[in-house]
Amino acid sequence: MGKMQGPSGGSHSSGNGPHRVGYWMSEKKEKRINFAVFGDLCRAHGIELVKVDLEKPMEEQGPFQVIVHKLTDPLLEASQGNQAARAIVQRFEDFISRHPETTLLDPLHSIRLLLNRCHSYQMIQELDLCQTDGIINIPPFVELRTTNRDEIIRRLNNNCITFPFVCKNVVAHGSNSHEMAIIFNEDGLVDVKPPCVAQSFINHNAILYKVFVVGSMFFIVERPSLKNFSPGKSDRKTIFFNSHDVSKAESTSHLNEQEPGRAGRLHQPSRQVLKNLVERLQEKVSMALFGFDVIMECGTDRYNVIDINAFPGYDGVPDFFPALLRHVEELLDGGGDATKKAAKHPSNAVLSSLPQTQTLLKHPMQSFPSKQPWSTLMPIS
Ligand SMILES: Nc1ncnc2c1ncn2[C@@H]1O[C@H](COP(=O)(O)OP(=O)(O)OP(=O)(O)O)[C@@H](O)[C@H]1O
Ligand SMILES: O=P(O)(O)O[C@H]1[C@H](OP(=O)(O)O)[C@@H](OP(=O)(O)O)[C@@H](O)[C@@H](O)[C@@H]1OP(=O)(O)O
Ligand SMILES: [Mg+2]
Ligand SMILES: [Mg+2]
């Protein structure tokens, strides 16, 4: 594995010049996670980080040993028939097939597995985690492709979906995918906007655990979440919400406020159980950069997985960039096999062993954990 060195050391310079790592993500994301800091860190380690221009031939821009990307939007648009997006995706695919020495973080076929919420839930269900871990669960869900009330009721009943349920766009990524509704009774079925997924609402005392994976490392970050609702049908009106208003670190929506006497932590998730889940998921999706959301169900010992995201925000992970660099260096040193290795042997790497450089301490993410009482960072050890 490549040795981690301080900002002045470059462990990856070679006779042929520095290693080149390409990247692409939207400008919005690039700014939000302050990716320029990662560029500085790479440079300090003898790695040149270059933004890929999606409009230009890839050959002109290479060579790349690794490409880090979030191409969820072009992949989605391409799947919906957008010709420009198709051309972009095709360019990437052609480049990778002509350059098998380039590792794509992550492979496009893996990302495609996570674009549709139903497919993601099915995939996790197929891991048959119930047998191995007993307590990992996907709340009952069903895809709805109709506005016909009788047909909706039939599908809900056949799939054991109970009121209240959350209605989510079937598309899992992109700005339109985060608008949701909580439906409490049959009258609320007019608010079903197909194609969507209906998923039984699970009471969890308004606490969500985000598990963020970076190669062979993972982190658990506590976040606010939706408050409890009385189980079963009620005469409440449908509640519409945007997921980014309720489960970001800084969320303070009225939907996060538990009734007095009901607030408080349930049993905390076990690191070992989540580690097993990370291993199983990584084996299945062959990805290095992904995250998933877990809620602990009131009154049971069940862990409910409600969401899985490609290249999430990693907000609350103070050492994300050193961890990403470490993974990239493993790929550079291991001939592109490190993601597979990570999938087989997720280590219990403790991030505090990574160097804390001056540059990293300036990263805005560093200030996050101290701002919010619930954002305890729990590196798995
Ligand atoms: N089945 C459920 N039971 C209870 N609460 C839920 C359920 N599903 C989702 N939620 C709540 O709704 C929020 C948004 O759901 P979800 O994570 O599926 O959306 P998302 O838009 O994909 O989120 P992200 O921003 O993490 O990608 C969750 O953070 C949680 O608070
Ligand atoms: O920044 P991006 O555009 O990638 O937004 C992602 C967002 O990160 P943010 O923290 O930057 O908002 C993620 O939040 P966390 O799970 O990490 O909380 C999650 O919502 C992804 O589903 C989003 O990806 P999208 O669905 O939009 O593709
Ligand atoms: Mg989520
Ligand atoms: Mg999501």
Side-chain angles (χ1 to χ4, degrees):
M1 195 197 84
K3 264 192 249 130
M4 301 290 290
Q5 297 189 358
S8 56
S11 59
H12 282 282
S13 299
S14 73
N16 304 324
H19 281 292
R20 296 185 88 241
V21 170
Y23 77 95
W24 191 87
M25 64 188 67
S26 69
E27 273 178 42
K28 186 194 79 176
K29 186 172 180 77
E30 200 173 334
K31 286 206 182 98
R32 188 162 22 210
I33 67 171
N34 205 0
F35 207 62
V37 172
F38 184 62
D40 295 342
L41 187 60
C42 284
R43 200 170 314 112
H45 285 255
I47 299 167
E48 188 187 356
L49 186 71
V50 183
K51 184 154 189 176
V52 173
D53 184 336
L54 297 184
E55 305 304 325
K56 288 194 182 144
M58 301 277 292
E59 305 287 354
E60 282 176 15
Q61 305 177 61
F64 300 117
Q65 279 83 46
V66 176
I67 301 177
V68 179
H69 71 89
K70 178 147 184 178
L71 280 170
T72 43
D73 285 347
L75 282 167
L76 266 170
E77 287 160 14
S79 73
Q80 290 158 357
N82 179 307
Q83 288 307 320
R86 279 191 175 173
I88 287 168
V89 172
Q90 194 62 54
R91 229 171 275 145
F92 258 81
E93 278 174 338
D94 291 347
F95 183 80
I96 294 300
S97 62
R98 279 195 300 268
H99 295 276
E101 74 282 6
T102 304
T103 304
L104 208 48
L105 273 186
D106 281 307
L108 300 189
H109 60 85
S110 298
I111 311 282
R112 283 194 185 99
L113 294 173
L114 307 187
L115 295 180
N116 176 302
R117 290 186 197 273
C118 273
H119 297 168
S120 303
Y121 293 147
Q122 270 152 10
M123 181 187 74
I124 301 170
Q125 248 177 2
E126 281 161 17
L127 293 178
D128 212 4
L129 291 159
C130 291
Q131 268 183 19
T132 48
D133 300 294
I135 36 180
I136 306 284
N137 186 51
I138 298 282
F141 68 93
V142 65
E143 185 168 357
L144 299 176
R145 296 195 159 273
T146 176
T147 51
N148 181 289
R149 181 187 155 101
D150 293 341
E151 173 68 5
I152 293 174
I153 292 173
R154 194 181 62 76
R155 286 186 68 75
L156 294 175
N157 289 339
N158 286 350
N159 292 278
C160 307
I161 318 294
T162 47
F163 288 107
F165 64 82
V166 191
C167 218
K168 312 180 185 185
N169 192 326
V170 78
V171 173
H173 285 88
S175 46
N176 297 329
S177 66
H178 305 292
E179 296 293 339
M180 314 198 162
I182 310 169
I183 294 179
F184 294 89
N185 50 52
E186 276 97 356
D187 290 346
L189 297 180
V190 293
D191 298 315
V192 166
K193 299 278 177 293
C196 60
V197 189
Q199 183 175 62
S200 294
F201 189 91
I202 305 292
N203 279 342
H204 56 284
N205 277 17
I207 298 171
L208 174 114
Y209 297 91
K210 282 205 169 263
V211 181
F212 289 120
V213 181
V214 193
S216 59
M217 289 160 267
F218 67 107
F219 308 83
I220 308 162
V221 176
E222 202 176 305
R223 289 274 181 91
S225 189
L226 291 177
K227 66 180 181 179
N228 295 346
F229 293 100
S230 305
K233 246 181 258 182
S234 67
D235 50 13
R236 275 174 176 270
K237 294 240 173 316
T238 298
I239 295 175
F240 298 94
F241 68 102
N242 184 306
S243 63
H244 286 185
D245 294 332
V246 298
S247 286
K248 291 297 178 196
E250 64 282 3
S251 296
T252 50
S253 160
H254 67 283
L255 294 173
N256 296 132
E257 282 165 23
Q258 281 287 101
E259 272 119 54
R262 298 289 301 277
R265 270 181 181 68
L266 298 166
H267 53 298
Q268 293 227 333
S270 131
R271 295 177 192 200
Q272 189 55 44
V273 168
L274 292 179
K275 179 175 180 288
N276 291 345
L277 184 52
V278 169
E279 282 177 15
R280 297 294 304 280
L281 281 173
Q282 209 169 36
E283 239 169 55
K284 185 78 184 177
V285 297
S286 302
M287 285 171 73
L289 302 177
F290 69 100
F292 57 92
D293 299 346
V294 174
I295 52 178
M296 309 298 285
E297 185 170 345
C298 291
T300 77
D301 57 3
R302 276 202 290 264
Y303 296 53
N304 287 272
V305 181
I306 53 159
D307 188 24
I308 176 162
N309 298 313
F311 201 156
Y314 292 97
D315 198 359
V317 181
D319 287 325
F320 171 55
F321 289 151
L324 179 57
L325 174 67
R326 178 187 171 134
H327 185 65
V328 166
E329 287 190 310
E330 280 174 1
L331 291 170
L332 294 174
D333 289 350
D337 202 31
T339 307
K340 284 180 213 132
K341 273 193 244 153
K344 286 198 191 111
H345 308 289
S347 78
N348 298 333
V350 181
L351 284 186
S352 54
S353 66
L354 295 173
Q356 298 285 313
T357 67
Q358 199 55 25
T359 323
L360 285 160
L361 290 171
K362 280 189 205 141
H363 191 284
M365 282 175 166
Q366 291 282 349
S367 63
F368 164 73
S370 59
K371 273 199 231 155
Q372 304 291 349
W374 51 70
S375 60
T376 318
L377 173 67
M378 296 190 289
I380 307 298
S381 56

Short mmCIF file of all heavy atoms in Angstrom, two decimals, residues 234-275:
data_model
loop_
_atom_site.label_atom_id
_atom_site.label_comp_id
_atom_site.label_asym_id
_atom_site.label_seq_id
_atom_site.Cartn_x
_atom_site.Cartn_y
_atom_site.Cartn_z
N SER A 234 -55.15 7.04 10.14
CA SER A 234 -55.63 8.17 10.96
C SER A 234 -56.18 9.21 10.00
O SER A 234 -56.05 9.06 8.77
CB SER A 234 -54.47 8.77 11.78
OG SER A 234 -53.54 9.36 10.91
N ASP A 235 -56.83 10.25 10.53
CA ASP A 235 -57.44 11.19 9.59
C ASP A 235 -56.53 12.37 9.26
O ASP A 235 -56.99 13.41 8.81
CB ASP A 235 -58.83 11.65 10.07
CG ASP A 235 -58.77 12.12 11.50
OD1 ASP A 235 -57.64 12.32 11.98
OD2 ASP A 235 -59.85 12.27 12.12
N ARG A 236 -55.24 12.21 9.47
CA ARG A 236 -54.30 13.28 9.11
C ARG A 236 -54.27 13.52 7.60
O ARG A 236 -54.45 12.59 6.81
CB ARG A 236 -52.88 12.87 9.49
CG ARG A 236 -52.49 13.15 10.89
CD ARG A 236 -51.11 12.55 11.09
NE ARG A 236 -50.56 12.83 12.37
CZ ARG A 236 -49.81 13.89 12.68
NH1 ARG A 236 -49.50 14.77 11.77
NH2 ARG A 236 -49.36 14.07 13.89
N LYS A 237 -53.98 14.78 7.24
CA LYS A 237 -53.75 15.10 5.82
C LYS A 237 -52.34 14.65 5.44
O LYS A 237 -51.44 14.58 6.30
CB LYS A 237 -53.85 16.61 5.61
CG LYS A 237 -55.22 17.22 5.84
CD LYS A 237 -55.71 17.88 4.56
CE LYS A 237 -57.14 18.38 4.62
NZ LYS A 237 -58.12 17.46 5.24
N THR A 238 -52.15 14.38 4.17
CA THR A 238 -50.82 13.99 3.67
C THR A 238 -49.79 15.05 4.03
O THR A 238 -50.05 16.25 3.92
CB THR A 238 -50.87 13.82 2.13
OG1 THR A 238 -51.80 12.78 1.84
CG2 THR A 238 -49.51 13.48 1.55
N ILE A 239 -48.63 14.59 4.47
CA ILE A 239 -47.52 15.52 4.75
C ILE A 239 -46.53 15.42 3.60
O ILE A 239 -46.04 14.32 3.28
CB ILE A 239 -46.82 15.16 6.07
CG1 ILE A 239 -47.77 15.35 7.25
CG2 ILE A 239 -45.55 15.99 6.26
CD1 ILE A 239 -47.21 14.90 8.60
N PHE A 240 -46.26 16.55 2.95
CA PHE A 240 -45.26 16.58 1.87
C PHE A 240 -43.95 17.12 2.47
O PHE A 240 -43.97 18.06 3.26
CB PHE A 240 -45.72 17.49 0.73
CG PHE A 240 -46.99 17.00 0.09
CD1 PHE A 240 -48.23 17.50 0.50
CD2 PHE A 240 -46.94 16.04 -0.91
CE1 PHE A 240 -49.40 17.04 -0.08
CE2 PHE A 240 -48.11 15.58 -1.50
CZ PHE A 240 -49.34 16.07 -1.07
N PHE A 241 -42.85 16.53 2.09
CA PHE A 241 -41.56 17.04 2.59
C PHE A 241 -40.46 16.73 1.60
O PHE A 241 -40.62 15.88 0.72
CB PHE A 241 -41.23 16.45 3.98
CG PHE A 241 -40.94 14.96 3.95
CD1 PHE A 241 -39.62 14.50 4.01
CD2 PHE A 241 -41.96 14.02 3.88
CE1 PHE A 241 -39.34 13.13 3.99
CE2 PHE A 241 -41.69 12.65 3.86
CZ PHE A 241 -40.37 12.21 3.92
N ASN A 242 -39.36 17.48 1.76
CA ASN A 242 -38.17 17.19 0.97
C ASN A 242 -37.18 16.53 1.93
O ASN A 242 -36.93 17.04 3.02
CB ASN A 242 -37.57 18.50 0.41
CG ASN A 242 -36.38 18.22 -0.49
OD1 ASN A 242 -35.42 17.56 -0.10
ND2 ASN A 242 -36.43 18.72 -1.72
N SER A 243 -36.63 15.40 1.50
CA SER A 243 -35.77 14.65 2.43
C SER A 243 -34.59 15.48 2.90
O SER A 243 -34.10 15.29 4.01
CB SER A 243 -35.29 13.35 1.78
OG SER A 243 -34.49 13.64 0.66
N HIS A 244 -34.15 16.43 2.09
CA HIS A 244 -33.00 17.24 2.50
C HIS A 244 -33.37 18.26 3.59
O HIS A 244 -32.50 18.88 4.18
CB HIS A 244 -32.37 17.94 1.29
CG HIS A 244 -31.59 16.98 0.43
ND1 HIS A 244 -30.85 17.37 -0.65
CD2 HIS A 244 -31.44 15.64 0.51
CE1 HIS A 244 -30.28 16.30 -1.20
NE2 HIS A 244 -30.63 15.24 -0.51
N ASP A 245 -34.67 18.43 3.85
CA ASP A 245 -35.06 19.32 4.95
C ASP A 245 -35.18 18.58 6.27
O ASP A 245 -35.31 19.20 7.33
CB ASP A 245 -36.41 20.00 4.65
CG ASP A 245 -36.31 20.96 3.48
OD1 ASP A 245 -35.20 21.48 3.26
OD2 ASP A 245 -37.32 21.14 2.77
N VAL A 246 -35.17 17.26 6.23
CA VAL A 246 -35.39 16.54 7.50
C VAL A 246 -34.19 15.72 7.97
O VAL A 246 -34.10 15.41 9.16
CB VAL A 246 -36.64 15.61 7.44
CG1 VAL A 246 -37.90 16.41 7.20
CG2 VAL A 246 -36.50 14.51 6.41
N SER A 247 -33.27 15.38 7.09
CA SER A 247 -32.18 14.51 7.54
C SER A 247 -30.79 15.03 7.20
O SER A 247 -29.86 14.25 7.05
CB SER A 247 -32.37 13.09 7.00
OG SER A 247 -33.41 12.45 7.71
N LYS A 248 -30.68 16.35 7.08
CA LYS A 248 -29.34 16.92 7.00
C LYS A 248 -28.90 17.22 8.44
O LYS A 248 -29.74 17.33 9.34
CB LYS A 248 -29.34 18.21 6.16
CG LYS A 248 -29.59 17.96 4.68
CD LYS A 248 -28.48 17.12 4.08
CE LYS A 248 -28.73 16.83 2.62
NZ LYS A 248 -27.91 15.74 2.10
N ALA A 249 -27.62 17.40 8.63
CA ALA A 249 -27.11 17.63 9.98
C ALA A 249 -27.79 18.83 10.63
O ALA A 249 -28.08 18.83 11.82
CB ALA A 249 -25.61 17.85 9.93
N GLU A 250 -28.07 19.84 9.80
CA GLU A 250 -28.59 21.09 10.36
C GLU A 250 -30.12 21.15 10.34
O GLU A 250 -30.71 22.17 10.69
CB GLU A 250 -28.00 22.29 9.59
CG GLU A 250 -28.37 22.40 8.11
CD GLU A 250 -27.57 21.44 7.19
OE1 GLU A 250 -26.77 20.64 7.71
OE2 GLU A 250 -27.80 21.47 5.97
N SER A 251 -30.78 20.06 9.95
CA SER A 251 -32.25 20.10 9.82
C SER A 251 -32.93 20.40 11.16
O SER A 251 -32.62 19.78 12.18
CB SER A 251 -32.78 18.74 9.31
OG SER A 251 -32.31 18.50 8.03
N THR A 252 -33.88 21.35 11.10
CA THR A 252 -34.65 21.65 12.31
C THR A 252 -36.11 21.80 11.93
O THR A 252 -36.79 22.73 12.34
CB THR A 252 -34.17 22.97 12.97
OG1 THR A 252 -34.13 23.97 11.94
CG2 THR A 252 -32.82 22.83 13.62
N SER A 253 -36.61 20.89 11.11
CA SER A 253 -38.00 20.93 10.67
C SER A 253 -38.92 20.55 11.83
O SER A 253 -38.53 19.82 12.74
CB SER A 253 -38.16 19.92 9.52
OG SER A 253 -39.51 19.58 9.37
N HIS A 254 -40.17 21.04 11.76
CA HIS A 254 -41.14 20.60 12.79
C HIS A 254 -41.35 19.09 12.69
O HIS A 254 -41.75 18.44 13.64
CB HIS A 254 -42.47 21.36 12.62
CG HIS A 254 -43.19 21.01 11.34
ND1 HIS A 254 -42.80 21.53 10.11
CD2 HIS A 254 -44.24 20.20 11.09
CE1 HIS A 254 -43.60 21.04 9.17
NE2 HIS A 254 -44.47 20.23 9.74
N LEU A 255 -41.02 18.52 11.53
CA LEU A 255 -41.19 17.07 11.37
C LEU A 255 -40.12 16.27 12.12
O LEU A 255 -40.21 15.06 12.25
CB LEU A 255 -41.15 16.69 9.88
CG LEU A 255 -42.31 17.22 9.06
CD1 LEU A 255 -42.09 16.95 7.58
CD2 LEU A 255 -43.63 16.58 9.53
N ASN A 256 -39.10 16.96 12.61
CA ASN A 256 -38.06 16.30 13.40
C ASN A 256 -38.40 16.28 14.89
O ASN A 256 -37.73 15.62 15.67
CB ASN A 256 -36.70 17.03 13.27
CG ASN A 256 -36.13 17.00 11.87
OD1 ASN A 256 -35.72 18.01 11.33
ND2 ASN A 256 -36.13 15.84 11.27
N GLU A 257 -39.43 17.07 15.27
CA GLU A 257 -39.68 17.25 16.71
C GLU A 257 -40.56 16.16 17.27
O GLU A 257 -41.75 16.08 16.97
CB GLU A 257 -40.34 18.62 16.94
CG GLU A 257 -39.33 19.74 16.89
CD GLU A 257 -40.00 21.09 16.77
OE1 GLU A 257 -41.18 21.22 17.17
OE2 GLU A 257 -39.35 22.01 16.25
N GLN A 258 -39.96 15.36 18.12
CA GLN A 258 -40.69 14.29 18.80
C GLN A 258 -41.64 14.89 19.84
O GLN A 258 -41.32 15.92 20.45
CB GLN A 258 -39.71 13.37 19.51
CG GLN A 258 -39.03 12.39 18.59
CD GLN A 258 -39.99 11.31 18.17
OE1 GLN A 258 -40.52 11.35 17.07
NE2 GLN A 258 -40.24 10.36 19.03
N GLU A 259 -42.77 14.23 20.05
CA GLU A 259 -43.66 14.70 21.12
C GLU A 259 -42.95 14.55 22.47
O GLU A 259 -42.16 13.62 22.64
CB GLU A 259 -44.95 13.86 21.15
CG GLU A 259 -46.01 14.41 20.23
CD GLU A 259 -46.39 13.42 19.15
OE1 GLU A 259 -46.75 12.29 19.51
OE2 GLU A 259 -46.31 13.78 17.96
N PRO A 260 -43.27 15.48 23.43
CA PRO A 260 -42.61 15.38 24.74
C PRO A 260 -42.82 13.99 25.34
O PRO A 260 -43.90 13.41 25.21
CB PRO A 260 -43.35 16.44 25.58
CG PRO A 260 -43.97 17.36 24.59
CD PRO A 260 -44.21 16.59 23.33
N GLY A 261 -41.80 13.48 25.95
CA GLY A 261 -41.91 12.15 26.56
C GLY A 261 -41.57 11.03 25.61
O GLY A 261 -41.30 9.91 26.03
N ARG A 262 -41.59 11.31 24.28
CA ARG A 262 -41.30 10.24 23.32
C ARG A 262 -39.87 10.33 22.78
O ARG A 262 -39.40 9.43 22.12
CB ARG A 262 -42.27 10.33 22.13
CG ARG A 262 -43.72 10.15 22.48
CD ARG A 262 -44.05 8.72 22.86
NE ARG A 262 -43.76 7.76 21.80
CZ ARG A 262 -44.57 7.50 20.79
NH1 ARG A 262 -45.71 8.11 20.69
NH2 ARG A 262 -44.24 6.60 19.88
N ALA A 263 -39.24 11.50 23.08
CA ALA A 263 -37.90 11.69 22.51
C ALA A 263 -36.90 10.77 23.21
O ALA A 263 -37.18 10.24 24.27
CB ALA A 263 -37.47 13.14 22.68
N GLY A 264 -35.75 10.62 22.60
CA GLY A 264 -34.69 9.84 23.24
C GLY A 264 -34.19 8.75 22.34
O GLY A 264 -34.87 8.33 21.39
N ARG A 265 -33.00 8.32 22.65
CA ARG A 265 -32.36 7.29 21.83
C ARG A 265 -32.95 5.93 22.09
O ARG A 265 -33.24 5.58 23.22
CB ARG A 265 -30.89 7.23 22.18
CG ARG A 265 -30.07 8.16 21.35
CD ARG A 265 -28.60 8.06 21.73
NE ARG A 265 -27.87 9.00 20.90
CZ ARG A 265 -28.00 10.31 21.04
NH1 ARG A 265 -28.80 10.80 21.94
NH2 ARG A 265 -27.33 11.13 20.25
N LEU A 266 -33.10 5.19 21.04
CA LEU A 266 -33.42 3.78 21.19
C LEU A 266 -32.08 3.08 21.31
O LEU A 266 -31.04 3.74 21.45
CB LEU A 266 -34.18 3.29 19.95
CG LEU A 266 -35.52 4.01 19.73
CD1 LEU A 266 -36.03 3.73 18.34
CD2 LEU A 266 -36.51 3.54 20.77
N HIS A 267 -32.05 1.75 21.23
CA HIS A 267 -30.75 1.08 21.26
C HIS A 267 -29.91 1.56 20.09
O HIS A 267 -30.41 1.77 18.98
CB HIS A 267 -30.92 -0.44 21.23
CG HIS A 267 -31.77 -0.94 20.10
ND1 HIS A 267 -33.09 -0.59 19.94
CD2 HIS A 267 -31.47 -1.73 19.06
CE1 HIS A 267 -33.57 -1.17 18.86
NE2 HIS A 267 -32.61 -1.86 18.30
N GLN A 268 -28.64 1.78 20.35
CA GLN A 268 -27.75 2.25 19.29
C GLN A 268 -27.39 1.07 18.40
O GLN A 268 -27.32 -0.07 18.87
CB GLN A 268 -26.48 2.79 19.94
CG GLN A 268 -26.75 4.05 20.74
CD GLN A 268 -25.74 5.14 20.42
OE1 GLN A 268 -24.63 4.85 20.04
NE2 GLN A 268 -26.14 6.37 20.60
N PRO A 269 -27.11 1.36 17.13
CA PRO A 269 -26.74 0.23 16.26
C PRO A 269 -25.39 -0.33 16.68
O PRO A 269 -24.54 0.39 17.19
CB PRO A 269 -26.64 0.88 14.87
CG PRO A 269 -26.50 2.33 15.10
CD PRO A 269 -27.13 2.64 16.42
N SER A 270 -25.24 -1.64 16.48
CA SER A 270 -23.95 -2.26 16.80
C SER A 270 -23.01 -2.08 15.61
O SER A 270 -23.40 -2.27 14.46
CB SER A 270 -24.17 -3.75 17.10
OG SER A 270 -23.26 -4.54 16.39
N ARG A 271 -21.79 -1.70 15.92
CA ARG A 271 -20.81 -1.51 14.84
C ARG A 271 -20.60 -2.81 14.08
O ARG A 271 -20.41 -2.81 12.87
CB ARG A 271 -19.47 -1.07 15.43
CG ARG A 271 -19.54 0.27 16.08
CD ARG A 271 -18.21 0.61 16.69
NE ARG A 271 -18.38 1.76 17.56
CZ ARG A 271 -17.38 2.54 17.95
NH1 ARG A 271 -16.17 2.29 17.56
NH2 ARG A 271 -17.62 3.56 18.74
N GLN A 272 -20.62 -3.93 14.81
CA GLN A 272 -20.36 -5.22 14.16
C GLN A 272 -21.47 -5.56 13.15
O GLN A 272 -21.21 -6.02 12.05
CB GLN A 272 -20.24 -6.32 15.23
CG GLN A 272 -19.75 -7.65 14.71
CD GLN A 272 -18.41 -7.54 13.96
OE1 GLN A 272 -17.49 -6.86 14.41
NE2 GLN A 272 -18.32 -8.20 12.80
N VAL A 273 -22.71 -5.29 13.55
CA VAL A 273 -23.83 -5.58 12.64
C VAL A 273 -23.71 -4.71 11.39
O VAL A 273 -23.86 -5.18 10.25
CB VAL A 273 -25.19 -5.34 13.35
CG1 VAL A 273 -26.34 -5.36 12.36
CG2 VAL A 273 -25.42 -6.40 14.43
N LEU A 274 -23.39 -3.42 11.59
CA LEU A 274 -23.27 -2.53 10.43
C LEU A 274 -22.06 -2.91 9.58
O LEU A 274 -22.10 -2.83 8.35
CB LEU A 274 -23.21 -1.07 10.87
CG LEU A 274 -24.51 -0.54 11.49
CD1 LEU A 274 -24.36 0.91 11.91
CD2 LEU A 274 -25.70 -0.68 10.54
N LYS A 275 -21.00 -3.36 10.23
CA LYS A 275 -19.81 -3.79 9.48
C LYS A 275 -20.16 -4.99 8.58
O LYS A 275 -19.81 -5.02 7.40
CB LYS A 275 -18.70 -4.18 10.47
CG LYS A 275 -17.43 -4.67 9.83
CD LYS A 275 -16.39 -4.91 10.92
CE LYS A 275 -15.08 -5.40 10.36
NZ LYS A 275 -15.14 -6.78 9.90
#
